[in-house]
């Protein structure tokens, strides 16, 4: 009897050992696949391509689809060259309104010569590529870049499905950061002015001014490119038309912001979250923005770390998140900008990471990363996450965590490189 029990116990232990070994083997294989750059690149481009083509195949001629945004972009250029208002309704072509300046018409111009179904695909692939290129040019090791790409696959797919401009804005902010670090202030200034001329978010690139070795050259470059980009659209229109267009742009942005404040899906910001959760009818944005700006400014005052790469990268992450969570114009697709900041923060964490940092990572990944997707049941997504702008909650906690690190971390005591491999990802 004892022999049978011993034999059964041995078999049970052996079975547990085999199952554990199989689990470890499968997990190791899965990690190697997930963190393989080739696999991640296929996901990056493949899912974005799928997201934009799916809608075209299902609704090829229906203007009330996501590629309606592309039609708006296209008519930005067409209205520019025909000197028609950029901001008026054109229901015969598209619903909603254009809110981008005349410089954007020049950027979208090459894509307008193709049929709409081809033009929109090429446009999305361009945005997917430019964002990929910006991420792989960051001063990080190859594995860290792969992690950022992997974390942002879903956000990029969502942005591509909605044919959004936001990945371009994020890329221009990243390029301005990289170019300033590489002492190419003249071209960094161009990135900032292009981003600002397309969508005012681009102006946040000015936060990297303090990293410049030649601040006078940088300032003069900003003035130079501002003048060039102001005049450039006049070559395909006229000076009087461009001047009037810029006069019309400000009230258009005001109207857009007012519409976002009462929109069900709009104002996905910290201010919007407070307003919607606590039913505050007339919340002054300044009550939220003033302390946020003070914190943001304080985090930039550690002058002795201005040349420290990790400190610089945390500022980049902070800028990308701040831009979205404190803008009343933010919508769910806008969070692709913040989520790239999330990825940059994560790969720059001091290892080993703490329990709270693991919580922030998982909370942000699930709610901000997938909160507007089908991962959550429709009732939860519509009645809670979207209704109360809860995408902003983890992102806000994340931004506070980044700010705390910038204020307290002793970057000089850390090794020059954060060693991050697939074994230590979590």
């Amino acid at each position: 009897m004892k022999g049978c029990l011993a034999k059964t116990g041995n078999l049970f232990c052996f079975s547990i050992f085999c199952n554990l070994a199989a689990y470890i083997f499968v997990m190791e294989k899965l990690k190697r696949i997930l963190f393989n750059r080739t696999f991640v690149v296929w996901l990056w481009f493949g899912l974005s391509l799928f997201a934009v083509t799916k809608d075209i195949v299902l609704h090829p001629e229906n203007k009330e689809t996501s590629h309606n945004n592309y039609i708006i972009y296209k008519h930005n250029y067409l209205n520019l060259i025909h000197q028609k208002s950029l901001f008026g309704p054109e229901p015969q072509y598209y619903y909603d309104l254009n809110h981008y300046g005349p410089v954007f018409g020049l950027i979208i111009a090459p894509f307008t010569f193709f049929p709409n179904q081809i033009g929109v695909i090429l446009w999305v692939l361009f945005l997917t590529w430019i964002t990929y290129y910006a991420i792989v040019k960051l001063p990080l090791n190859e594995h860290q870049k792969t992690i950022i790409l992997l974390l942002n696959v879903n956000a990029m797919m969502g942005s591509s499905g909605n044919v959004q401009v936001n990945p371009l804005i994020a890329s221009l902010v990243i390029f301005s950061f990289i170019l300033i670090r590489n002492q190419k202030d003249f071209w960094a200034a161009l990135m900032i002015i292009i981003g600002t001329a397309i969508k005012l978010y681009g102006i946040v690139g000015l936060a990297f001014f303090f990293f410049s070795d030649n601040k006078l050259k940088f300032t003069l470059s900003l003035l130079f490119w501002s003048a060039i980009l102001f005049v450039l659209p006049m070559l395909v229109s006229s000076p009087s038309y461009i001047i009037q267009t810029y006069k019309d742009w400000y009230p258009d942005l005001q109207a857009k912001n007012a519409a976002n404040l009462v929109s069900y899906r709009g104002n996905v910001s910290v201010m919007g979250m407070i307003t919607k959760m606590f039913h505050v009818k007339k919340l002054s944005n300044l009550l939220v923005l003033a302390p946020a700006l003070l914190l943001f400014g304080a985090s930039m005052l550690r002058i002795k770390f201005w040349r420290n790469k990790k400190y610089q990268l945390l500022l980049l992450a902070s800028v990308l998140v701040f831009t979205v969570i404190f803008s009343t114009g933010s919508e769910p697709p806008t969070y692709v900008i913040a989520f790239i900041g999330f990825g940059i923060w994560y790969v720059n964490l001091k290892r080993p990471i703490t329990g709270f940092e693991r919580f922030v990572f998982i909370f942000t990944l699930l709610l901000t990363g997938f909160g507007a997707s089908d991962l959550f049941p429709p009732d939860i997504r519509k009645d809670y996450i979207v209704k109360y702008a809860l995408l902003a909650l983890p992102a806000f906690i994340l931004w506070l965590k980044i700010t705390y690190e910038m204020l307290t971390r002793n970057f000089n005591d850390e090794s020059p490189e954060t060693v991050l491999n697939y074994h230590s990802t979590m």
Side-chain angles (χ1 to χ4, degrees):
M1 182 69 175
K2 289 182 180 180
C4 290
L5 288 173
K7 192 174 293 184
T8 302
N10 289 337
L11 287 172
F12 179 70
C13 291
F14 180 71
S15 175
I16 292 177
F17 174 78
C18 288
N19 286 329
L20 183 61
Y23 173 78
I24 293 172
F25 176 78
V26 170
M27 290 303 296
E28 287 296 309
K29 286 290 185 182
L30 183 61
K31 285 181 178 181
R32 290 183 184 276
I33 292 171
L34 282 177
F35 302 133
N36 178 276
R37 173 66 68 84
T38 303
F39 173 75
V40 172
V41 170
W42 273 102
L43 279 181
W44 181 265
F45 287 96
L47 291 179
S48 288
L49 180 61
F50 169 77
V52 66
T53 55
K54 172 176 67 71
D55 200 38
I56 293 172
V57 171
L58 294 177
H59 310 286
E61 299 298 333
N62 183 2
K63 69 179 181 181
E64 294 188 4
T65 60
S66 60
H67 68 272
N68 171 78
N69 283 342
Y70 173 76
I71 308 300
I72 294 176
Y73 306 156
K74 178 176 179 176
H75 280 81
N76 183 297
Y77 170 70
L78 295 177
N79 289 337
L80 176 67
I81 61 175
H82 292 111
Q83 299 187 42
K84 296 171 63 179
S85 173
L86 295 187
F87 311 116
E90 293 187 291
Q92 69 274 33
Y93 300 118
Y94 53 81
Y95 71 97
D96 210 341
L97 297 168
N98 170 64
H99 302 290
Y100 301 103
V103 170
F104 181 67
L106 301 180
I107 293 172
I108 197 71
F111 302 92
T112 64
F113 297 100
F114 296 93
N116 290 339
Q117 287 80 4
I118 296 174
V120 66
I121 292 173
L122 293 176
W123 171 248
V124 165
L125 288 178
F126 165 71
L127 294 186
T128 308
W129 173 80
I130 202 73
T131 311
Y132 169 81
Y133 185 74
I135 291 171
V136 300
K137 285 297 178 181
L138 285 167
L140 297 165
N141 64 45
E142 293 305 307
H143 186 69
Q144 289 172 317
K145 296 171 188 176
T146 303
I147 293 294
I148 295 173
L149 290 168
L150 182 62
L151 289 176
N152 281 274
V153 162
N154 181 67
M156 195 67 207
M157 180 176 67
S159 180
S160 298
N162 286 281
V163 194
Q164 291 283 329
V165 176
N166 297 305
L168 178 59
I169 302 301
S171 301
L172 290 168
V173 173
I174 294 171
F175 286 142
S176 66
F177 169 81
I178 294 169
L179 289 166
I180 287 176
R181 287 194 81 251
N182 293 339
Q183 300 182 346
K184 297 179 179 178
D185 301 62
F186 182 71
W187 298 111
L190 174 61
M191 300 299 107
I192 293 171
I193 299 304
I194 290 177
T196 306
I198 296 172
K199 195 172 185 177
L200 296 181
Y201 286 178
I203 202 169
V204 298
L206 291 175
F208 312 128
F209 172 82
F210 299 104
F211 299 155
S212 171
D213 289 332
N214 193 335
K215 294 176 175 58
L216 177 60
K217 178 183 177 182
F218 183 52
T219 303
L220 293 175
S221 298
L222 289 169
L223 295 173
F224 172 81
W225 286 117
S226 296
I228 292 296
L229 291 186
F230 179 71
V231 171
L232 199 59
M234 297 178 185
L235 299 179
V236 296
S237 56
S238 71
S240 60
Y241 168 78
I242 294 301
I243 292 170
Q244 185 60 49
T245 296
Y246 277 108
K247 288 180 180 179
D248 294 339
W249 198 14
Y250 180 68
D252 171 77
L253 292 176
Q254 283 186 311
K256 170 63 174 173
N257 184 63
N260 282 333
L261 294 177
V262 296
S263 170
Y264 175 71
R265 289 179 61 86
N267 195 11
V268 189
S269 63
V270 174
M271 294 81 79
M273 180 178 64
I274 294 171
T275 299
K276 294 175 181 180
M277 288 181 67
F278 300 103
H279 305 288
V280 181
K281 292 185 177 180
K282 291 185 179 181
L283 175 69
S284 172
N285 290 336
L286 194 61
L287 290 175
V288 179
L289 278 176
L293 286 169
L294 286 174
L295 271 177
F296 182 75
S299 70
M300 296 175 62
L301 293 180
R302 301 184 77 188
I303 301 172
K304 64 180 180 179
F305 295 127
W306 278 1
R307 293 186 180 279
N308 184 285
K309 186 180 72 172
K310 291 181 183 178
Y311 179 81
Q312 291 176 344
L313 284 164
L314 280 181
L315 177 60
L316 173 60
S318 176
V319 165
L320 291 170
V321 177
F322 183 98
T323 302
V324 177
I325 66 172
F326 293 110
S327 168
T328 54
S330 293
E331 298 172 328
T334 317
Y335 273 77
V336 67
I337 300 173
F339 222 70
I340 294 174
F342 163 67
I344 293 170
W345 163 78
Y346 177 66
V347 300
N348 279 281
L349 275 175
K350 187 178 180 180
R351 262 58 184 182
I353 65 176
T354 65
F356 178 70
E357 289 165 345
R358 186 173 285 107
F359 162 75
V360 173
F361 173 81
I362 295 172
F363 191 36
T364 306
L365 180 65
L366 290 179
L367 189 52
T368 302
F370 292 92
S373 73
D374 292 335
L375 179 67
F376 289 85
D379 290 344
I380 294 177
R381 186 172 67 249
K382 295 176 182 178
D383 296 340
Y384 295 96
I385 297 174
V386 175
K387 182 178 180 179
Y388 297 112
L390 292 181
L391 295 183
L393 178 59
F396 178 53
I397 296 172
L398 168 67
W399 180 76
L400 291 175
K401 179 65 173 68
I402 294 170
T403 304
Y404 177 78
E405 287 184 47
M406 292 183 68
L407 288 168
T408 61
R409 268 174 72 173
N410 189 350
F411 297 94
N412 288 339
D413 288 346
E414 299 177 19
S415 59
E417 293 290 340
T418 300
V419 179
L420 178 66
N421 55 50
Y422 69 87
H423 292 288
S424 63
T425 300
M426 284 296 291

